[in-house]
Every structure is written in structure tokens, then in C-alpha cells.
Amino acid sequence: MLYKLNLKTKDYSKVNRVTLSDIGWKEIHLQNLLSNHIQDLISTSELMTIFNERPRQEEPDILALDKNGDLYIFELKRWSSHQENLLQVLRYGQLYGNSNYDELNDMFKKYIKNEDSTVELQEFHKNYFDLSESTKVNKTDFNQKQNFLVVTNGLDQKTVEAIIYWKKNGLNIDAIVYWVFEINGEYFIEFNMYSPIEGFLEYENNTYILNTNYSNNTKNTEEMLRDKKAAAYYPGWREKIEKLQKGDMVFLYKSGYGIIAYGIASGKLEMQDCDGHPNYEYFMKLDKFKKLKKPFSAAEMKITTNQGFNFRQTMFSIEDTSKDLLLKKIKESYL
């Protein structure tokens, strides 16, 4: 999150975060931005773009080479990453991981839009990285190793865990997270590259309101308060808990009463039997759990945030501004 500092009050305020789709950008625009300025935008080994995806082709968004001739395969997304994105980029590894020099050279000539050009990939690579004739990469040494990069507007926890798993098993895979900000009608983009082995892979946190199922089973609400957890029951509803990731804030809402508690999702999905059915309850522990002295009613929530909520849903997300307003009111009047 980016914050604006106020020099007078010595305080801060959040800068509005938007998505590329919000400002009319398509995936091709992000692809062109990265491929044309790859060394400026990505904090990794110096890279040289050799190929961009063409319309209606099963091709990676970007292919690039480093100084040693190792191949980098990029998968770009305008939205938050999911596990399926990893499968897609690994699929491209199967398709292009065995590409020999001649095949890479053909793709490079298509990228520079001159298939009949006398410019050869090997010579261009040598000049690009300022290599001598004796240190240039031999044609047979190109694409000896592959590196996979998912470029995405945020990460969900399962993707983080999947990247950690694949890296521990020897796969060269990482995520590049970007954020887009709006400040006084101007737009800014920030790229961050993380290694889940060396550091922490950051992902965006969300806020949810969860119905405690009080109308159907009063014991469910009692158990959530007692066990300090967020839970949902039976197929079709229990899967909502899978959306929660570590750091998400969850407000527990009791039908007919209002918000009765809140906490921070632990990130660990757990299951247990319910009404004699195996694993019919999905739940997640809530850290920093707070129980309200009295319910924060739906009517008061609407007044506080100046918006209505659809409480018929089992669980739904709310904006950061609404979360901040609810928390402020809770701390003033309900704790």
C-alpha cells in the first residue's frame, strides 16, 4: 500500500489503488510496456526480450534471455493471480523449454518484425550484453535453463504456497507483483519482485462480512464466538471460507442483530464433521479476535458507511473505506 504523507499534520492517508482495467488498459498494453522496458521495470538479471505473444496463438506473453542465454518465460495478468496462472506458465515451459537456437532465432526475427533480416539472435545478444567474441554464448548453449515469471496485480495465498512448493522442488519460478495508483488524476505503477525462499511474498488483504448462520443453527454462532473462528457449512456455502487468506479481516454478522465480532484470518483452512457428515464445515481461526459488547446493527452500519449491504449472502467483501469507517465506529462505541 502506498501512503501520502501530510507535512502539516504529520499523518498519512491512503493513496487510491486501481487496476489496469479501470484505466482502460488491456493485457497487450502491459505486455508492450514490459517487453519494451524490461530492464527498467523488473529487478532481476538483465534481460533481453526476444518474443511477444501473437493474437490467437498458444504462446507465452513474453520470452526473454539473460546474459547466459537462459530463457525467461512470462505470464502476465491484469488481475490478481490464481493457481491456474502457474499451470499456464508451466505449460509454456513444456512447449518452449526444448526450443533450440534456430527456433529461438526464428521467434526473435518475428519479434523484430523482419524475418528476412540478416540480424542473427546470437550476434544481437552479444552486442546487447556487450560480450566479446570469446565470451559470446554458443548457439548450442542457448536455452539450457528456463525461468518462469508470473506478473500479476496481487497474489492470493494459494498461489504463494504453490510458488514456494515448486521452488523448493527445484523449479525456477517467481512472481512479480505490480500495483497501480491514482493520485490527482495521474496514474503510477510499481513493480516488486519477491522470492518466497529468501523473503516474504506479499499479497493484498481484503475485508469480508460473514453471516454466522444464526437463522439456521444458533449453535454455529456460539461456536464461532467460542472458538474464535470464521466458518461455513455444507457444500455450496462452506467453499466461501476458501477465499480467505492470511491477513484478511472478517466481521462476523449475526442475522437480525448485526456485527458481533471480528478478527484477522490465520490463512490456514481447516475442516471438520458437521451434522454427521464428514468435512461439511470449513473454518479458519481468527487472530486478534474481538467480541463486541453489543451488536453493531445493519441500520447503524448503513448510516456509518453511507451504503447498504447484501446480508443474504453467506460472505461478501467490502471496500477499505467501509472497513475503516466500521472499525472506527466499533472502537468508539462497541468495545
Side-chain angles (χ1 to χ4, degrees), residues 219-229 233:
K219 291 184 178 180
N220 294 156
T221 300
E222 296 169 4
E223 290 174 359
M224 287 191 216
L225 290 175
R226 182 193 69 209
D227 299 337
K228 301 179 181 179
K229 66 181 181 181
Y233 311 86

Side-chain angles (χ1 to χ4, degrees), residues 1 6 20 30 32 45 79 85 103 125 139 220 268:
M1 175 58 68
N6 189 313
L20 288 177
L30 178 62
N32 290 336
S45 304
W79 49 83
N85 297 341
E103 291 168 327
H125 181 271
K139 292 181 178 181
N220 294 156
K268 181 181 179 182

Side-chain angles (χ1 to χ4, degrees), residues 94-160:
Q94 290 179 301
L95 294 174
Y96 294 91
N98 292 321
S99 296
N100 58 32
Y101 171 80
D102 290 334
E103 291 168 327
L104 294 179
N105 190 40
D106 288 341
M107 287 188 283
F108 173 66
K109 289 185 177 184
K110 291 175 183 176
Y111 171 66
I112 61 175
K113 297 180 175 59
N114 191 351
E115 296 183 43
D116 297 325
S117 172
T118 57
V119 176
E120 289 286 317
L121 173 61
Q122 184 187 39
E123 189 66 17
F124 194 95
H125 181 271
K126 184 192 82 168
N127 295 333
Y128 186 91
F129 289 106
D130 196 24
L131 303 175
S132 66
E133 190 65 28
S134 62
T135 59
K136 72 179 182 181
V137 178
N138 295 322
K139 292 181 178 181
T140 55
D141 290 333
F142 279 93
N143 199 17
Q144 292 300 303
K145 294 180 182 179
Q146 295 79 44
N147 302 270
F148 303 92
L149 290 166
V150 178
V151 183
T152 176
N153 185 209
L155 286 170
D156 66 281
Q157 187 175 352
K158 287 188 176 180
T159 302
V160 174

